[in-house]
Amino acid sequence: MIAPCVTAVDAAQYREQMARIAPFATRIHIDVSDGQFAPIKLVNPAQVYWPEGASADIHLMVRNPIEHLETLIGMNPNLVIIHAESQGDLLGMIRQLRAVRIKTGVALLQQTLPEQAKELVADCDHILIFSGDLGHFGGSADLSLLSKISQIKSINPNAEVAWDGGASLENVAQLSGGGVDVINVGGAIQKSEDPAGAYKALVEASKVIAPQV
């Protein structure tokens, strides 16, 4: 699954990015940042929307995600992803989201091992391996982080595994072949002159199983 990303600093940029992908995206990864957990401030949850019929995953790059709980519940997205490195009662937030039938995810920064966030990994539907630059498109895809997948599966065999950071036409086959279920793609789609064509090419490339390095 290829999920185009929206990473916008204000409402105008958000509209532009969403308009680029709305005609073809079935699942959208939306970044939210408070400018504290991540070095750049992005749109806040109250500014978030997505096209009817699409599925939205909201990625909270914020210091205290529980502050946004009521807003998120009112929005009813497909999935809310919080960072293992953020603050507050994260397990409690996950359980409150689950109680209203919103799927839950936990993101792990490069230095965070699944074992270090074992309770969260065990309790979530979706585990995001982060290999990018917080709050920005691009970054590098450190394929050595694929080693986290076996660790994740040993804790939560049923978890959906996602990747965020540096995904491109050159590496989506390796990511998919390495066990990633959802590949979030930002710049390779949003910066393309033909976003729909770039998305289609990424979907096709992700179906080819490449040798692992």
Side-chain angles (χ1 to χ4, degrees):
M1 163 66 73
I2 301 295
C5 297
V6 174
T7 304
V9 297
D10 56 33
Q13 190 177 62
Y14 189 94
R15 286 194 300 271
E16 292 171 3
Q17 292 186 13
M18 190 62 76
R20 287 193 194 106
I21 63 174
F24 56 83
T26 58
R27 184 168 179 177
I28 301 171
H29 182 91
I30 300 170
D31 287 323
V32 169
S33 170
D34 59 4
Q36 298 174 25
F37 182 83
I40 187 168
K41 188 179 173 85
L42 302 174
V43 293
N44 62 60
Q47 295 173 288
V48 166
Y49 64 89
W50 55 92
E52 186 176 354
S55 176
D57 300 346
I58 299 179
H59 178 193
L60 293 177
M61 296 181 288
V62 300
R63 183 173 292 173
N64 294 297
I66 201 161
E67 292 177 355
H68 303 285
L69 180 61
E70 287 187 17
T71 301
L72 291 162
I73 288 174
M75 295 163 61
N76 194 33
N78 168 60
L79 169 71
V80 172
I81 304 164
I82 60 177
H83 268 269
E85 304 83 7
S86 54
Q87 298 174 1
D89 182 9
L90 303 182
L91 275 174
M93 181 173 178
I94 286 167
R95 287 163 185 166
Q96 288 184 70
L97 289 166
R98 181 178 297 119
V100 293
R101 300 181 183 275
I102 296 174
K103 293 179 184 177
T104 59
V106 62
L108 307 174
L109 292 178
Q110 292 93 327
Q111 71 275 14
T112 303
L113 298 175
E115 185 67 28
Q116 294 172 303
K118 188 172 183 178
E119 282 188 299
L120 295 168
V121 171
D123 216 28
C124 282
D125 305 293
H126 174 105
I127 314 300
L128 176 63
I129 299 171
F130 192 85
S131 178
D133 295 324
L134 285 170
H136 298 272
F137 285 143
S140 60
D142 180 358
L143 298 183
S144 71
L145 296 176
L146 288 171
S147 64
K148 290 185 179 181
I149 295 179
S150 61
Q151 301 167 39
I152 291 166
K153 292 296 187 179
S154 70
I155 298 168
N156 185 346
N158 298 316
E160 178 180 66
V161 177
W163 182 276
D164 190 352
S168 69
L169 198 58
E170 288 69 38
N171 58 32
V172 288
Q174 286 178 291
L175 294 172
S176 179
V180 178
D181 302 304
V182 181
I183 304 171
N184 299 306
V185 182
I189 294 174
Q190 290 284 0
K191 295 180 180 180
S192 172
E193 294 182 3
D194 178 12
Y199 172 76
K200 183 178 179 181
L202 285 158
V203 170
E204 291 303 314
S206 69
K207 296 175 183 177
V208 178
I209 304 303
Q212 295 304 298
V213 294

